[in-house]
Amino acid sequence: MTGFKRKTPEEILLSISKLHRGRIKIYIGAVSGSGKTYHMLREGHALKEQGIDVVICAVSTMKRPETVEQVGDLERVPSIHWTRNGIEQKDLNLDALIERNPEVVLVDALAHRNRVGAQFATRLEDIKHLVSHGISVITTVNVYELEGFHQIAQKLTGVGCEEIVPLETLELADEVRLIDVSPETVLQRLSEGHLGDRKDTALFKRGNLGVLRELALRLVAEDVNETLEKHREEEGLLGPSGAAERVLVSTQYHWNGSIYVRRGQQIAKRLNGDLMVVCFVNPRKSLTKECATFKRSIVKLVDKVGGTFEELPFRSTRLIARQLVHYAVNNNVTRILLGHSKQTRWQEFWRGSVVNGILKMTQNVDVFIVADRADHDGERILPTKRKESPHKDVYRRLSSKEVDQKIEQIKRGKFKVYIGAAPGVGKTYTMLREGNDLLKKGIDVVIGLLETHGRKETFAQIGSLQTIPRYTFDYRGATLEEMDVPAIIERNPEVVLIDELAHTNMPGSRNKKRYEDVLEILEAGISVISTMNVQHLESLNDAVEQITGVRVRETVPDSILRLTDDIELIDVAPKSLQQRMREGRIYAMDKVEQALGHFFKTGNLIALRELALREIADEVDERLEAWERKNSLRGPWRREEVIFVGVTTSSNAERLIRRGFRIAHRLKASWYVTYVNPGEPEGDDLRKRMEAIREITTRLGGTFEVINAQHERQIPILLMEQANRYKSTQIIIGQSKRSLKDRLYKGSVVQNVLRAARHMDVLVVADFDPNFKNSLR
């Protein structure tokens, strides 16, 4: 094992140098005013309370009341003041800081350029100098101040900046933390005069704020992904983590190769993943002139769309499937994309089928088979421009139904949710702090339901907030309590704070779930601020189980988040979260070791953090598209989609339905779920399973139906008839669990569907097997 390997002299020297080196922590945000300095100063106070020597230098509060308040009694080392174009600048006083020799320095504006004649040209160099002297630094930066991202930001928003830092700067940091803030919050701060006189700048347009926010979320998600990949490699883990999509396109040097690459790129973009392309070549044969031309075209396209390309040698067609599966597992691929087979049943038997071979061997990787529409109807799969929504006639009289809908929207309360990757990140703390801020502004705020879990810091944030007592009731001889919805509605505050949105209410309660309580309160015209963790989102249930090994029972339908007016992510690095755990600030001390060894393992926390960052980034993108922004960061989709999901009554049905929903939502498609009953008698067990499948489909916004067959060989025929009736463009089915004997006697649903559905895309969803990686070694 590598743990017993003797270190080289170079590794020993590097380890010794790290002992003397200070640490770097970077707070990153979308724009100025997102709260980076506020959080940095708050952390400074927390460190000071722990007995750590902290000073501040070149910190700009911009006279924002909350930020000024956070400076408090932190010691300030005077900065060097000078002016540039009539604007005051602050440089770090390196000599004074090194002489003072604190343990930590808090400093703003990582991208700052120093005065002419300074010891170093940039603040980044200043920070490196301090770190080399054993002084740790906590600093701040905006996403558009990072090299590469400043060009993307300028292209998408027109916002530019002169002072930038290399993107590799984030690699120097020991910790990067995102301060996520919604455009609505930034604009509210702007209207209150907390961001200076910036009302006319392009930076503070709502659409631009949304773009910059999404860029920040995706940047940190990529950084977290690199950390996760490294951690999994060190742990000897293979296969996908479950936190992100990675699409592998298998193509050939043929005219349709670019079609598969483009399709893979679209899927990777819309599902927020990476793209890899491989092509199998025979090393014993030289490429023909035609193949060489196609190769240049494909390599150029892959480079253009930001994917990676690799040639893989092969000697036998029958071995391609095994090579492809090995490559997919070793590169953490979540989805293999390739074209439909054009072979007949007998040709597949004699020559072998790559698709069938892959389906037999892989369990943790989905297989996406692209429709050959060029043969079917001459259609080429290429990106198309999104149709512009026609401008509504402002003089048209609204119908009575439209008037009622408008009135309901006006009457309904505002809904905001703080979301985190795991317990203990600070969602409730932040919710309470916002509640007190609103209270100071004269807004009537109360606590409807609070779960402090014994955390002193959280309890201290209650401040002047009034709490509505819980409702107590008897149920089968036991005294239970839950949030008192009628009392909240009767009290009629402007805003109510409600913790743990995913909570399941006690039996006998007014509603089954807390989010149903919240909807009732919103309908009464009361605004709600709530909290939840990403693992409670219904459509992510399978991904969370894959990451943590834990099946989350309390979930919130994704539609609830679509109803929110505002979502903000509370981001905390795994190491910081684990430190909070060890200090007893999340769970009681007697539960700490168990938590750190299970749900709070480093790999779990990194993956959940990436999942949360990507999910909120996608949600931001959805909202940007809803605002009719012409360009989406994920690119346009090719055409109107219809998703068809075929299920059985097995435990895999819910997994297929969640997958169908997530794909349909990302593609803005209608979707249908069908169960074909192969003549099974309708007993209590079957009725319960069908009701459970119907319930989850309806909860996620799909349409469920049951079709009866006379025998099992009819299943693929009826599925295809129904899929064609809906004019489906993509069919989703699960991997076959039938034995060879059953396949010979009853037929294979998957193989029959693949043969009949060559005019549409087919996604075969993998079963998750945590031990699958071992079977390929």
Side-chain angles (χ1 to χ4, degrees):
M1 292 178 66
T2 56
F4 294 99
K5 183 175 174 290
R6 182 181 289 110
K7 290 187 185 310
T8 65
E10 291 78 11
E11 289 173 328
I12 293 170
L13 285 173
L14 180 61
S15 299
I16 292 171
S17 68
K18 285 182 177 179
L19 292 174
H20 295 283
R21 176 182 171 272
R23 292 171 55 84
I24 300 176
K25 179 172 182 176
I26 299 175
Y27 281 97
I28 187 169
V31 292
S32 297
S34 58
K36 302 180 300 296
T37 305
Y38 174 93
H39 285 275
M40 178 181 72
L41 292 169
R42 209 179 84 189
E43 182 172 0
H45 280 289
L47 292 172
K48 186 179 177 182
E49 288 174 7
Q50 295 170 27
I52 295 171
D53 185 15
V54 182
V55 301
I56 64 174
C57 186
V59 169
S60 301
T61 63
M62 305 294 288
K63 297 182 180 178
R64 296 167 189 157
E66 292 180 350
T67 310
V68 170
E69 184 182 340
Q70 283 300 313
V71 173
D73 60 352
L74 289 173
E75 180 185 343
R76 186 189 294 270
V77 172
S79 54
I80 298 171
H81 292 242
W82 59 286
T83 58
R84 178 170 56 200
N85 300 326
I87 301 172
E88 186 183 47
Q89 307 289 323
K90 296 178 181 179
D91 286 0
L92 289 176
N93 192 333
L94 290 179
D95 291 337
L97 285 169
I98 290 172
E99 183 181 351
R100 170 64 178 74
N101 193 31
E103 290 178 275
V104 182
V105 175
L106 311 183
V107 55
D108 252 333
L110 177 61
H112 172 78
R113 296 193 68 84
N114 293 331
R115 69 198 183 284
V116 176
Q119 184 177 352
F120 299 105
T122 66
R123 181 152 295 165
L124 175 59
E125 292 172 288
D126 288 345
I127 288 172
K128 288 179 180 178
H129 184 64
L130 291 172
V131 167
S132 70
H133 281 73
I135 299 172
S136 294
V137 177
I138 304 177
T139 187
T140 64
V141 71
N142 293 314
V143 67
Y144 56 83
E145 294 170 333
L146 291 164
E147 188 178 24
F149 279 79
H150 81 289
Q151 295 168 328
I152 300 172
Q154 189 162 25
K155 180 181 177 182
L156 294 174
T157 68
V159 174
C161 64
E162 296 178 4
E163 299 177 340
I164 60 173
V165 293
L167 187 59
E168 297 78 30
T169 303
L170 297 187
E171 296 176 14
L172 297 174
D174 298 275
E175 184 179 334
V176 175
R177 181 181 171 190
L178 173 71
I179 302 301
D180 181 45
V181 64
S182 66
E184 289 74 17
T185 300
V186 174
L187 293 173
Q188 180 64 30
R189 292 173 183 173
L190 184 67
S191 68
E192 293 170 353
H194 293 169
L195 304 184
D197 187 18
R198 291 177 164 175
K199 294 184 180 179
D200 298 323
T201 64
L203 184 66
F204 288 90
K205 290 181 180 177
R206 186 170 78 154
N208 287 347
L209 290 172
V211 170
L212 294 172
R213 181 190 183 192
E214 185 177 350
L215 281 174
L217 284 158
R218 295 199 186 282
L219 167 64
V220 178
E222 286 301 317
D223 185 63
V224 172
N225 180 259
E226 289 178 15
T227 306
L228 179 60
E229 296 273 328
K230 185 178 178 181
H231 175 79
R232 288 175 63 82
E233 187 178 331
E234 290 171 353
E235 294 290 316
L237 299 172
L238 297 176
S241 67
E245 288 274 356
R246 182 167 287 181
V247 179
L248 174 64
V249 176
S250 175
T251 187
Q252 295 175 306
Y253 296 141
H254 188 262
W255 69 266
N256 62 5
S258 60
I259 293 179
Y260 296 159
V261 172
R262 184 68 78 174
R263 183 70 162 140
Q265 180 240 353
Q266 291 176 331
I267 292 169
K269 275 275 191 182
R270 296 303 296 185
L271 300 183
N272 192 13
D274 301 321
L275 175 68
M276 306 173 73
V277 180
V278 295
C279 188
F280 286 93
V281 294
N282 190 332
R284 293 174 295 185
K285 292 183 179 180
S286 299
L287 292 178
T288 65
K289 188 176 289 187
E290 185 182 39
C291 286
T293 302
F294 283 128
K295 176 181 177 179
R296 285 194 296 272
S297 173
I298 288 171
V299 171
K300 186 177 179 180
L301 177 59
V302 173
D303 183 63
K304 180 181 177 182
V305 300
T308 62
F309 177 81
E310 189 174 349
E311 280 187 339
L312 300 178
F314 83 101
R315 296 183 184 276
S316 167
T317 304
R318 287 185 178 273
L319 296 177
I320 288 179
R322 179 170 291 277
Q323 282 182 266
L324 202 54
V325 171
H326 272 280
Y327 188 91
V329 172
N330 289 328
N331 287 278
N332 302 329
V333 166
T334 58
R335 185 175 304 207
I336 298 173
L337 183 148
L338 65 168
H340 269 289
S341 170
K342 295 184 179 181
Q343 299 183 126
T344 64
R345 187 192 303 264
W346 287 110
Q347 285 174 326
E348 288 178 354
F349 178 78
W350 288 112
R351 299 176 186 174
S353 163
V354 174
V355 173
N356 291 342
I358 291 171
L359 292 174
K360 287 176 185 175
M361 283 185 285
T362 184
Q363 288 181 299
N364 287 6
V365 182
D366 296 344
V367 181
F368 190 91
I369 300 100
V370 179
D372 194 348
R373 292 190 179 87
D375 277 359
H376 186 259
D377 55 11
E379 180 188 350
R380 293 296 182 91
I381 305 171
L382 294 172
T384 59
K385 290 185 178 180
R386 184 185 300 278
K387 292 181 180 179
E388 296 288 338
S389 300
H391 293 291
K392 291 182 179 179
D393 186 350
V394 293
Y395 296 103
R396 183 180 68 82
R397 183 180 289 113
L398 296 175
S399 67
S400 57
K401 184 178 180 181
E402 289 172 326
V403 170
D404 290 341
Q405 288 175 340
K406 291 284 186 183
I407 291 171
E408 285 302 312
Q409 288 174 355
I410 294 168
K411 286 169 58 180
R412 183 177 170 271
K414 295 286 185 182
F415 187 21
K416 180 173 183 176
V417 173
Y418 285 108
I419 194 165
V425 297
K427 305 178 299 297
T428 305
Y429 181 102
T430 308
M431 177 184 73
L432 291 170
R433 198 184 73 218
E434 181 174 2
N436 275 293
D437 288 343
L438 293 173
L439 204 60
K440 290 175 186 175
K441 295 172 185 174
I443 295 171
D444 184 15
V445 186
V446 300
I447 296 172
L449 195 290
L450 179 64
E451 299 285 2
T452 64
H453 299 288
R455 297 166 192 162
K456 295 178 181 177
E457 289 181 341
T458 305
F459 188 80
Q461 287 299 310
I462 294 175
S464 304
L465 292 168
Q466 177 196 347
T467 300
I468 304 293
R470 300 190 189 197
Y471 170 64
T472 334
F473 58 98
D474 292 327
Y475 181 79
R476 294 182 178 178
T479 302
L480 307 176
E481 59 178 29
E482 282 294 352
M483 181 169 67
D484 197 336
V485 176
I488 291 171
I489 294 174
E490 185 180 353
R491 169 65 174 74
N492 194 30
E494 290 178 273
V495 181
V496 60
L497 311 181
I498 299 173
D499 222 352
E500 298 190 357
L501 186 63
H503 171 77
T504 301
N505 291 334
M506 296 290 184
S509 297
R510 184 185 183 94
N511 293 306
K512 185 179 178 181
K513 301 285 291 187
R514 185 164 292 164
Y515 67 77
E516 294 173 323
D517 293 337
V518 166
L519 292 176
E520 189 175 341
I521 292 167
L522 288 169
E523 290 303 318
I526 300 168
S527 294
V528 175
I529 302 175
S530 190
T531 66
M532 66 173 287
N533 290 319
V534 71
Q535 67 260 31
H536 295 294
L537 202 57
E538 174 68 56
S539 69
L540 293 177
N541 202 259
D542 304 304
V544 171
E545 184 180 20
Q546 182 176 337
I547 290 167
T548 66
V550 176
R551 170 65 71 175
V552 176
R553 299 299 173 191
E554 294 188 317
T555 60
V556 171
D558 294 57
S559 58
I560 298 298
L561 287 194
R562 314 290 173 245
L563 293 175
T564 60
D565 301 281
D566 203 352
I567 301 176
E568 289 186 10
L569 175 69
I570 307 299
D571 180 47
V572 174
K575 286 184 180 178
S576 295
L577 196 58
Q578 288 172 329
Q579 184 58 34
R580 290 183 187 180
M581 175 67 76
R582 292 187 185 96
E583 293 168 356
R585 294 161 60 191
I586 300 178
Y587 294 156
M589 292 302 294
D590 60 341
K591 296 180 180 178
V592 168
E593 289 306 316
Q594 182 185 6
L596 289 173
H598 291 85
F599 193 84
F600 279 77
K601 287 192 295 189
T602 301
N604 287 354
L605 294 179
I606 298 173
L608 287 170
R609 185 188 184 197
E610 182 182 352
L611 197 67
L613 286 160
R614 291 184 184 276
E615 187 64 23
I616 299 302
D618 277 348
E619 186 62 31
V620 170
D621 202 86
E622 294 291 335
R623 291 175 189 240
L624 286 171
E625 288 183 333
W627 296 340
E628 296 185 1
R629 186 166 58 88
K630 292 183 181 179
N631 295 317
S632 161
L633 267 69
R634 294 176 296 160
W637 192 243
R638 58 192 180 93
R639 67 193 182 105
E640 186 177 346
E641 293 271 355
V642 178
I643 310 299
F644 181 85
V645 186
V647 299
T648 65
T649 54
S650 73
S651 58
N652 199 36
E654 284 86 351
R655 183 180 176 84
L656 292 176
I657 291 166
R658 292 188 189 100
R659 187 64 60 89
F661 161 76
R662 286 187 69 77
I663 292 171
H665 177 66
R666 295 306 179 216
L667 307 187
K668 307 212 171 19
S670 53
W671 62 292
Y672 304 88
V673 178
T674 296
Y675 164 61
V676 179
N677 184 356
E680 188 178 345
E682 195 172 316
D684 288 342
D685 289 343
L686 180 60
R687 275 195 294 271
K688 285 179 182 177
R689 276 302 294 147
M690 284 199 294
E691 187 54 39
I693 294 169
R694 185 188 302 277
E695 197 271 333
I696 188 174
T697 304
T698 305
R699 194 164 71 238
L700 289 172
T703 302
F704 177 73
E705 60 192 343
V706 179
I707 299 174
N708 293 310
Q710 293 179 347
H711 50 79
E712 295 203 31
R713 285 189 174 272
Q714 266 195 307
I715 292 176
I717 299 169
L718 293 174
L719 281 176
M720 288 310 305
E721 285 179 357
Q722 200 69 350
N724 288 325
R725 187 168 72 83
Y726 287 127
K727 297 180 179 179
S728 305
T729 57
Q730 185 176 148
I731 184 167
I732 300 174
I733 51 179
Q735 276 186 329
S736 176
K737 293 183 179 180
R738 289 181 175 177
S739 64
L740 177 60
K741 180 181 176 181
D742 282 343
R743 288 201 300 272
L744 291 172
Y745 177 67
K746 301 176 182 176
S748 168
V749 173
V750 173
Q751 290 182 9
N752 282 308
V753 166
L754 286 173
R755 290 191 191 97
R758 288 176 177 173
H759 60 291
M760 66 177 72
D761 298 334
V762 179
L763 175 63
V764 183
V765 177
D767 282 338
F768 175 65
D769 178 5
N771 299 313
F772 172 62
K773 55 182 178 289
N774 298 322
S775 66
L776 284 176
R777 287 179 175 173

